[in-house]
Amino acid sequence: MTVPKVTAEDYIEILAFYARQIHLMDALKIEEYADTFTDDGVIDHAHRNERLAGREAMLAAMRAALPRYRDVVPRHWFDHYLIEPFAEGDGWRVVYYCLVSRTDAQGKVDFEPSFTVEDELVRLADGEIRTRLRVIHMDRPAS
Amino acid sequence: MTVPKVTAEDYIEILAFYARQIHLMDALKIEEYADTFTDDGVIDHAHRNERLAGREAMLAAMRAALPRYRDVVPRHWFDHYLIEPFAEGDGWRVVYYCLVSRTDAQGKVDFEPSFTVEDELVRLADGEIRTRLRVIHMDRPAS
Amino acid sequence: MTVPKVTAEDYIEILAFYARQIHLMDALKIEEYADTFTDDGVIDHAHRNERLAGREAMLAAMRAALPRYRDVVPRHWFDHYLIEPFAEGDGWRVVYYCLVSRTDAQGKVDFEPSFTVEDELVRLADGEIRTRLRVIHMDRPAS
């Protein structure tokens, strides 16, 4: 393959970035979570045709969703990262699996449908990684 | 320990290999999935005494299994890779956990029994990684 | 950020350490699992106010728990490791997600409530990694 390969150092940094981002999201620290996106970052819920462009739109949508997480603890589980450096510019296209568990006050666990997520990550001038684009596809059977 | 250790670079390359292989399998791209095995690759479903030797046998078994995935989206989740370089030759013995989620058209999720998988991976002359042997053990209680 | 960053080599070694430790635990090899802790290691089940200090206390608690795993195969799934090197000394503070699946003899899978785990890992003089402290928090909704 002639696809440029991600270095081991960048791969680990990307895993560490996701760990930090997802701990913030699942802890409902929505301001800090929003800070892990670029200022013009976009979250595109492809399956429900909802496109959140920019920090304020993201925060409004997350604030509206908070009541859904009053009685359950969400945990986003990721796996199988496909990471491809941009041909130009400092960043990566990342595709991965996502499964969301919800633990309620009695300790009962259930799951949201699995998702496949496509991200564009960029490295800013200060060396930090941010998400510039997140497209979320709900997994649906072919039939 | 005197066990030879996998390098960080190889470890990451192995993770990236599995990510690519499993995205292909779960997308039911069975020809491309078969290409991630060596030509003489073997898949051994130890729990049901089924041994698929070579590309044609694999493809036939996968084609026969396709109808099972018409109404659900399978996702194979891996964790806890034990990776040990071969004492001789370019490759690794890898053991890991596997859990399969199935999301149906209504978004309902269920799970197949967990598995433990033992792989032999080899690096070909062109630098690419392939699976040479996959032995799949269904997890069963001791009692 | 001025937080010291874990190197890619250490990160991979930590993943390999957890893989080995968790395979031992889930295989109910409790002596070998206990060996992955320092001699004065502590497991603190914060949610049930149980603090196991030292190898003998750990082993006694694990022996007492064994009957719970006679009819199911437990698998501990980890994700989203936050890894921070100690400011002083050779080791890391690690925080991660944990979900436990249980597969019974019929192949039915259920899940224990999700957990968040905080570990202190140390590197001994011989280069080996051990867990010195493990604090286990059951995830509970805010409400």
Side-chain angles (χ1 to χ4, degrees), chain A residues 79-80 97 114 139-141 143, chain B residues 23 26 70-71 76 78 103:
Chain A
D79 204 4
H80 296 312
Y97 288 7
S114 60
D139 294 331
R140 291 179 193 279
S143 73
Chain B
H23 276 266
D26 285 338
R70 198 173 288 150
D71 301 322
H76 287 72
F78 287 4
T103 299

Side-chain angles (χ1 to χ4, degrees), chain B residues 15-69:
Chain B
L15 290 188
F17 168 76
Y18 279 119
R20 195 166 63 83
Q21 183 181 58
I22 300 313
H23 276 266
L24 290 172
M25 177 170 63
D26 285 338
L28 310 179
K29 295 179 177 173
I30 61 179
E31 302 265 347
E32 290 170 74
Y33 172 63
D35 289 343
T36 66
F37 288 78
T38 58
D39 293 338
D40 61 349
V42 168
I43 301 180
D44 188 337
H45 289 269
H47 58 285
R48 59 178 191 242
N49 227 354
E50 179 193 73
R51 187 180 166 90
L52 305 167
R55 181 181 172 83
E56 289 314 310
M58 273 183 215
L59 284 172
M62 289 188 274
R63 266 185 222 110
L66 281 179
R68 285 205 291 143
Y69 298 106

Side-chain angles (χ1 to χ4, degrees), chain C residues 2-96:
Chain C
T2 55
V3 175
K5 280 188 178 159
V6 61
T7 64
E9 285 70 25
D10 284 346
Y11 193 103
I12 293 303
E13 238 188 297
I14 290 166
L15 290 188
F17 168 76
Y18 279 120
R20 196 167 61 85
Q21 183 181 58
I22 299 313
H23 276 266
L24 291 172
M25 177 170 64
D26 285 338
L28 309 179
K29 296 179 177 174
I30 63 180
E31 302 265 346
E32 291 169 75
Y33 172 62
D35 289 342
T36 66
F37 288 79
T38 60
D39 293 339
D40 61 349
V42 169
I43 301 180
D44 188 336
H45 289 269
H47 58 284
R48 58 177 190 242
N49 227 355
E50 178 193 73
R51 187 181 165 89
L52 305 167
R55 181 180 173 83
E56 289 314 311
M58 272 183 216
L59 284 173
M62 289 188 275
R63 266 185 223 109
L66 281 179
R68 285 205 292 140
Y69 298 105
R70 197 172 291 150
D71 301 321
V72 294
V73 182
R75 290 290 179 257
H76 287 71
W77 305 85
F78 288 3
D79 204 5
H80 296 313
Y81 300 89
L82 300 171
I83 303 179
E84 202 177 299
F86 292 159
E88 289 184 29
D90 204 357
W92 307 266
R93 181 170 176 272
V94 188
V95 181
Y96 52 93

